[in-house]
Amino acid sequence: MNKIWGLINAISRTDTWQSLTYCDVLLACGDADRGYCYKGKRYAQMIDSLGDLLKQNDLSVHSVSHRLSFCTGEKAYGTPVSVNRELVRIAMCARMVSLVKGRIAGSYWRETKLKQLWKNILSRCTPKAVISIQPDVGLCNAGHDLGIPIFDLQHGLISDTEDNPYYWSDNLQKQESTDLPHGFLCWDKSSAEKLLPITQKKKFTVR
């Protein structure tokens, strides 16, 4: 019941992504990545720490919650903007399209609208790069269309196994290059080596 009320509260508030202004780097993650509380705010240990480092090097940084999120604005470190209403609207409309025209048509409609949403967001702040935790297809598509590099910041162990689908080579091989980030930012050489065999074919970088 608490989750239901949390969802209602999240979508009852106006999205704030329209308030974005220019930044050098846009950070994107969700509530699941904010596993720590720092000074009363939810904190994403990996990506928020990187954001602080970028700011120390005189780069401007903004943050967005790239999935349905309760921890936005002043509730989270970096004051991430929200896209909750738009994400729910797209999901509901895609469901209706699926019911009328079929699942494939619904999926295509959803992917098209998500890409346009992210193009709108990126056009607002025109970052030189986006660093995200497992960026979704819509964000990656938008970045490729606009020439803005999207990077995935490793957030857990990378294993070439079916139970880790985001990094599973079989899954990566099947996807179009534009559905994937431009590059992967890994913790160490061992993690990077898991992705190296398919970097040339998909033309993404591993660092």
Side-chain angles (χ1 to χ4, degrees):
M1 184 62 72
N2 288 336
K3 288 185 177 181
I4 294 175
W5 282 113
L7 174 62
I8 293 173
N9 181 57
I11 63 177
S12 68
R13 300 174 183 272
T14 303
D15 287 344
T16 56
W17 63 265
Q18 296 93 335
S19 66
L20 283 170
T21 56
Y22 170 79
C23 63
D24 293 308
V25 179
L26 180 66
L27 305 178
C29 70
D31 284 357
D33 308 309
R34 305 182 192 281
Y36 183 72
C37 188
Y38 176 68
K39 293 185 177 180
K41 298 185 177 185
R42 300 310 301 177
Y43 185 87
Q45 297 95 314
M46 293 297 298
I47 206 163
D48 283 332
S49 297
L50 177 59
D52 286 341
L53 181 62
L54 294 172
K55 291 174 185 176
Q56 290 172 13
N57 284 272
D58 298 323
L59 295 173
S60 57
V61 178
H62 290 328
S63 180
V64 56
S65 288
H66 68 347
R67 296 183 178 91
L68 189 63
S69 301
F70 308 133
C71 300
T72 60
E74 294 301 322
K75 294 180 180 179
Y77 191 84
T79 320
V81 297
S82 62
V83 293
N84 290 331
R85 274 192 182 180
E86 193 62 18
L87 291 177
V88 170
R89 185 191 70 81
I90 290 173
M92 292 177 66
C93 290
R95 178 59 177 164
M96 294 176 65
V97 173
S98 295
L99 291 173
V100 175
K101 296 186 176 181
R103 184 167 56 87
I104 295 177
S107 295
Y108 178 78
W109 189 93
R110 177 179 177 275
E111 292 169 4
T112 300
K113 294 301 180 182
L114 285 174
K115 180 173 76 169
Q116 188 56 55
L117 170 62
W118 281 109
K119 288 179 75 170
N120 292 341
I121 292 172
L122 297 181
S123 295
R124 281 271 176 178
C125 53
T126 59
K128 295 182 176 70
V130 177
I131 299 175
S132 179
I133 294 176
Q134 296 190 351
D136 59 26
V137 171
L139 175 53
C140 294
N141 287 167
H144 282 283
D145 278 7
L146 297 175
I148 297 174
I150 312 294
F151 294 96
D152 169 56
L153 177 63
Q154 181 185 351
H155 194 58
L157 293 177
I158 291 179
S159 60
D160 189 8
T161 54
E162 187 175 359
D163 61 352
N164 194 8
Y166 198 87
Y167 303 110
W168 186 31
S169 61
D170 284 12
N171 184 50
L172 292 174
Q173 295 279 15
K174 293 175 184 176
Q175 295 194 62
E176 296 292 334
S177 295
T178 53
D179 292 343
L180 298 170
H182 293 76
F184 293 83
L185 306 179
C186 298
W187 294 347
D188 51 33
K189 183 178 180 181
S190 175
S191 297
E193 287 175 348
K194 299 288 186 182
L195 299 170
L196 285 176
I198 55 175
T199 55
Q200 291 185 342
K201 182 175 181 180
K202 292 301 181 181
K203 298 181 180 179
F204 57 70
T205 58
V206 177
R207 300 179 185 276

